[in-house]
Amino acid sequence: MNMKNVLLPVFYLPPISWFSVFLDPENEVILEQFENFPKQTYRNRANIYGANGKLSLIIPIHHNGKRKMKDIEVSESEDWRKLHWKSIKTAYQSSPYFEFYEDKFIRLFEEKEKYLLDFNLKGLEVIQQIFKTEKAQSLNKEYIKNPGEIDFREKFSAKIPLEFEVEEYYQTFSDKLGFIKDLSVLDLICNKGPESLTYLKNIKQLY
């Protein structure tokens, strides 16, 4: 197998397309921690399927003047963890698999990580536990503008068309509002459970 070095941004409960790249057995994953934190990206937001359609859960950032992703602190001025967990529970409690994974997900929102990077990495750990995967990854050592790795730092955006081909699957509210593609991997896990890994393996990259 020819391994490819891949540079991925570190997201909050990442979208499905991100996970298809992360878990690809041909990809040697390096995570970006030195980039300047870009606003309005999945680094501090996750999209879920609420009763009224797409719902963005946004982690508030403590503005301490630091710019590097690894130095970004989460704000404690509001109880966002409680709010996010309540939104997730409301959105997915009637999905087929939520109850099986609820205990694992709730732990993420009970811990007080100071830094966004640490919180996101903890989320990644929780999802790997659910998938029973042990995909190795490492953090980069410095910021490189044009890295030798395949660069995915700007590939996942709600603003540009998806560069992945994803199949529709049943979502809790899709009867009412239709299929919403590439939500947080949480949506896939709650609706497809043990079949999620197979689904991720079948996603095609369009480039």
Side-chain angles (χ1 to χ4, degrees), residues 7 76 106 110-111 115 120 142 157 161 167 178 183-184 200:
L7 185 61
E76 300 299 346
I106 197 169
E110 287 171 342
E111 294 178 27
Y115 294 99
N120 288 354
E142 60 180 322
S157 163
E167 281 176 31
L183 294 173
S184 164
L200 288 166

Side-chain angles (χ1 to χ4, degrees), residues 25 29 47 53 61 70 88-90 115 151 157 186-187 195:
V29 173
N47 290 334
I61 298 305
K70 71 181 186 65
I88 288 167
K89 196 164 179 172
T90 305
Y115 294 99
D151 187 357
S157 163
L186 184 76
D187 185 82
E195 292 173 50

Side-chain angles (χ1 to χ4, degrees), residues 10-102:
V10 186
F11 288 163
Y12 169 33
L13 295 174
I16 290 162
S17 57
W18 186 98
F19 254 94
S20 72
V21 175
F22 176 77
L23 289 176
D24 187 326
E26 290 185 10
N27 290 345
E28 189 85 44
V29 173
I30 298 146
L31 299 173
E32 171 63 74
Q33 63 170 337
F34 285 99
E35 64 182 350
N36 277 347
F37 176 74
K39 293 180 182 137
Q40 296 184 329
T41 70
Y42 295 123
R43 286 158 185 82
N44 67 322
R45 77 173 56 206
N47 290 334
I48 63 171
Y49 202 146
N52 299 312
K54 190 187 286 186
L55 175 64
S56 288
L57 304 177
I58 300 168
I59 299 175
I61 298 305
H62 172 54
H63 296 286
N64 57 4
K66 293 179 177 169
R67 300 276 308 278
K68 287 193 174 75
M69 177 67 184
K70 71 181 186 65
D71 299 325
I72 298 294
E73 294 175 27
V74 299
S75 171
E76 300 299 346
S77 62
E78 55 188 276
D79 199 352
W80 61 268
R81 290 178 184 84
K82 194 175 175 183
L83 204 65
H84 284 202
W85 178 245
K86 192 179 168 194
S87 297
I88 288 167
K89 196 164 179 172
T90 305
Y92 294 110
Q93 59 194 356
S94 60
S95 69
Y97 295 100
F98 178 75
E99 61 180 313
F100 296 103
Y101 307 119
E102 182 177 1

Side-chain angles (χ1 to χ4, degrees), residues 101-166:
Y101 307 119
E102 182 177 1
D103 291 350
K104 282 194 168 64
F105 280 125
I106 197 169
R107 278 207 297 272
L108 180 61
F109 295 95
E110 287 171 342
E111 294 178 27
K112 295 261 170 138
E113 300 287 353
K114 181 180 178 185
Y115 294 99
L116 178 65
L117 182 72
D118 294 338
F119 181 78
N120 288 354
L121 290 173
K122 195 82 186 166
L124 185 53
E125 203 180 293
V126 167
I127 293 161
Q128 288 235 65
Q129 284 168 9
I130 288 169
F131 284 154
K132 298 185 172 65
T133 54
E134 293 180 358
K135 175 77 179 193
Q137 75 270 338
S138 58
L139 289 162
N140 65 345
K141 304 285 191 286
E142 60 180 322
Y143 180 79
I144 297 172
K145 192 171 192 287
N146 300 305
E149 299 85 17
I150 301 169
D151 187 357
F152 278 93
R153 288 175 296 189
E154 291 175 25
K155 285 278 186 199
F156 309 94
S157 163
K159 299 183 188 77
I160 54 173
L162 192 62
E163 295 185 9
F164 299 83
E165 196 176 283
V166 293

